[in-house]
């Protein structure tokens, strides 16, 4: 059989000895895998941050290499069973490492939040009811618990969306030791 286009066979739908009817039996799927579409599921909470044209980094557990792409399509409605929205990323595939049905993690570079307060992850602790708090300075050399609301956590920093204002001093690394010492005093 002659292929009507150039590329790589990515799917075979026939086997030796099978009857093939011209024009009706699909035999092979041929594709140029030098660039691929990566389909991702976007959680509802992340919908405000995902737009066509956003740049994306793609990682797999298989390779240490990071792939770069752009969102080319965002579906109009959610999948009712997963409660996610599908988005399509177009990316080059050097070495044709990305394969059909491979699991990936895609991170959208959606820009920066201006005037955001971000703390090291180690500064944010949780109480016995799993509520987040930090140790904030309330007078000279005295720190106390302050409840906070959390945003996204990226690259070792957690966004604080409520409970602190710009200029507040908090304990970063070592706050866990203060929490432990306070629990011993009770």
């Amino acid at each position: 059989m002659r292929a009507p286009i150039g590329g790589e066979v990515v799917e075979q739908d026939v086997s030796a000895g099978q009857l093939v009817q011209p024009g009706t039996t699909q035999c092979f799927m041929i594709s140029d895998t030098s660039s691929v579409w990566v389909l991702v599921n976007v959680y509802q909470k992340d919908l405000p941050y995902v737009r066509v044209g956003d740049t994306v980094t793609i990682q797999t557990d298989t390779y240490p290499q990071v792939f770069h792409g752009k969102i080319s399509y965002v579906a109009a409605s959610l999948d009712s069973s997963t409660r996610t929205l599908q988005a399509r990323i177009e990316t080059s595939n050097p070495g044709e490492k990305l394969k059909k049905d491979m699991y990936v993690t895609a991170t959208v570079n959606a820009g920066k939040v201006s005037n955001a307060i971000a703390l090291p992850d180690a500064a944010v602790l949780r109480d016995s009811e799993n509520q987040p708090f930090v140790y904030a300075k309330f007078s000279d050399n005295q720190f106390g618990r302050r409840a906070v609301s959390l945003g996204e956590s990226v690259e070792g920093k957690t966004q604080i969306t409520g409970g602190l204002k710009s200029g507040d001093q908090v304990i970063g690394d070592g706050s866990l030791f203060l929490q432990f010492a306070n629990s011993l005093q009770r």
Side-chain angles (χ1 to χ4, degrees):
M1 254 187 242
R2 296 190 67 148
I5 60 170
E8 181 180 343
V9 174
V10 294
E11 197 172 296
Q12 178 180 336
D13 295 329
V14 294
S15 56
Q18 182 176 339
L19 177 62
V20 175
Q21 304 252 331
T24 59
T25 306
Q26 181 173 320
C27 301
F28 302 97
M29 183 179 294
I30 300 171
S31 182
D32 175 8
T33 57
S34 62
S35 66
V36 294
W37 287 353
V38 176
L39 300 177
V40 295
N41 294 323
V42 180
Y43 295 110
Q44 282 182 250
K45 68 179 181 66
D46 297 326
L47 292 180
Y49 310 111
V50 177
R51 292 182 183 81
V52 171
D54 285 344
T55 59
V56 180
T57 56
I58 303 161
Q59 294 179 291
T60 70
D61 290 339
T62 311
Y63 304 108
Q65 177 180 358
V66 174
F67 301 87
H68 299 279
K70 279 192 175 186
I71 296 176
S72 62
Y73 170 78
V74 176
S77 62
L78 294 172
D79 179 323
S80 61
S81 61
T82 62
R83 308 305 303 163
T84 60
L85 190 75
Q86 194 170 72
R88 181 176 62 219
I89 302 165
E90 292 181 5
T91 183
S92 62
N93 189 14
E96 298 178 350
K97 292 180 177 180
L98 295 174
K99 306 292 184 190
K100 183 178 185 283
D101 296 330
M102 181 180 271
Y103 283 100
V104 301
T105 301
T107 305
V108 177
N109 302 315
K112 299 188 185 230
V113 178
S114 59
N115 300 321
I117 297 173
L119 297 176
D121 289 343
V124 181
L125 302 171
R126 298 215 175 241
D127 62 17
S128 60
E129 281 107 37
N130 202 28
Q131 297 302 309
F133 71 91
V134 297
Y135 282 106
K137 186 174 186 177
F138 63 88
S139 65
D140 287 340
N141 295 325
Q142 292 190 345
F143 289 81
R145 281 186 179 201
R146 188 173 310 167
V148 292
S149 301
L150 305 180
E152 298 294 317
S153 183
V154 177
E155 296 178 2
K157 299 227 184 262
T158 300
Q159 179 186 11
I160 307 298
T161 58
L164 289 178
K165 62 184 183 314
S166 182
D168 284 346
Q169 293 181 352
V170 299
I171 295 178
D173 291 332
S175 60
L176 188 60
F177 295 112
L178 185 56
Q179 182 183 24
F180 181 69
N182 284 343
S183 70
L184 291 177
Q185 291 175 356
R186 292 184 183 163

